[in-house]
Amino acid sequence: MATFIVLLGPPGVGKGTQAKILAETTNLAHISSGDLFRENLKNQTELGKLAKSYMDKGELVPDDVTISMIRDRLSRADCETGAILDGFPRTPAQADALEKMLTGFKGKVDYVPFITAAKDILVERASGRWTCREQGHIYHQKFNPPQKVGICDIDGSELYQRDDDKVETVSKRIKVYLDQTMPLVEYYRQKGVLVEIDGSQPVDQVTENLLAALKK
Ligand code: AMP
């Protein structure tokens, strides 16, 4: 049976960083809704243009387009054994839609690591973040700098600062998270799949705690 892990937590807490590490460790596909929107934006698709208008304001892209993008992604062969979902679901409607999609895989959401940290840490992490243009590898100017300024250690592509990682937009994204995504914490707690992880620690420590929690 397939295994599905949903990473839940505020913007800037390190979901993307941990999702990439977990995907390598577990061999499951990594599905990041934010990366999918950014890829569409880079390829100038209609979806990308639509998403940009919401992303620039720090708001959520409407549920219908987001859900159908994830449905398409989950139908690809690399998801047959499961996936790590990073940034999706972000609303109760998305969580319901995901549950229905996964019945098609005879699967369900198995684990939901809920990664948290205080607001000042989130703002500092997101606003110092540098992202790789090619594959979305994540760096931080202070906590995890690349070996060469502006260049991804892994694939050599350019690093850029996301428009929505500016301090004002990060604060707006945190507010949107509190209003629209926080209800999912209770939703998954009720289902008995929520695992709380302290995201304020260094990357390696968070990974260690995450893997230990998943092994249990
Ligand atoms: P992220 O890379 O996860 O921080 O997402 C960046 C932006 O993409 C968000 O601020 C939203 O505008 C949009 N986005 C990503 N995932 C979702 C989602 N599940 N639902 C709606 N909008 C999303």
Side-chain angles (χ1 to χ4, degrees):
M1 198 153 98
T3 305
F4 292 92
I5 300 174
V6 166
L7 289 183
L8 201 59
V13 80
K15 294 189 298 298
T17 301
Q18 296 299 334
K20 281 191 192 305
I21 300 171
L22 264 191
E24 275 166 26
T25 320
T26 58
N27 253 331
L28 293 172
H30 171 203
I31 302 184
S32 156
S33 43
D35 282 355
L36 290 172
F37 285 132
R38 282 183 286 276
E39 210 174 289
N40 272 279
L41 193 57
K42 195 165 79 178
N43 297 331
Q44 305 254 313
T45 67
E46 286 307 312
L47 173 62
K49 288 180 207 159
L50 174 86
K52 183 174 165 47
S53 61
Y54 294 94
M55 292 165 85
D56 282 352
K57 289 185 276 184
E59 290 172 4
L60 294 186
V61 179
D63 281 337
D64 54 348
V65 280
T66 305
I67 290 167
S68 94
M69 175 179 79
I70 296 293
R71 185 179 292 115
D72 280 358
R73 179 64 189 85
L74 278 171
S75 68
R76 282 173 33 192
D78 63 338
C79 296
E80 271 167 21
T81 52
I84 292 161
L85 291 152
D86 155 20
F88 181 92
R90 254 176 160 98
T91 63
Q94 292 180 13
D96 287 340
L98 177 64
E99 199 166 304
K100 292 198 184 91
M101 284 178 224
L102 296 189
T103 54
F105 289 80
K106 297 197 172 41
K108 60 175 176 47
V109 173
D110 298 287
Y111 308 100
V112 181
F114 169 41
I115 314 177
T116 50
K119 185 176 172 188
D120 53 340
I121 295 182
L122 304 176
V123 174
E124 188 184 20
R125 284 194 186 159
S127 58
R129 168 158 63 188
W130 287 87
T131 304
C132 134
R133 184 85 64 193
E134 210 49 54
Q135 294 183 57
H137 297 116
I138 300 165
Y139 298 84
H140 189 280
Q141 59 192 25
K142 186 161 132 196
F143 305 123
N144 176 28
Q147 279 164 13
K148 274 194 216 150
V149 175
I151 306 286
C152 176
D153 294 347
I154 300 165
D155 60 29
S157 73
E158 181 201 12
L159 300 180
Y160 74 104
Q161 194 163 29
R162 284 169 42 178
D163 286 342
D164 61 349
D165 277 344
K166 285 185 225 119
V167 173
E168 318 81 71
T169 319
V170 174
S171 299
K172 172 72 190 290
R173 286 162 60 207
I174 294 172
K175 186 177 180 315
V176 167
Y177 161 82
L178 293 173
D179 290 346
Q180 302 192 49
T181 309
M182 270 306 267
L184 297 189
V185 173
E186 274 319 303
Y187 175 92
Y188 286 119
R189 201 194 301 279
Q190 299 265 318
K191 291 184 183 290
V193 290
L194 199 82
V195 195
E196 296 197 35
I197 304 285
D198 175 5
S200 64
Q201 296 167 310
V203 173
D204 294 355
Q205 190 61 54
V206 177
T207 306
E208 204 175 295
N209 295 346
L210 200 50
L211 291 174
L214 294 179
K215 270 192 199 125
K216 273 194 213 157

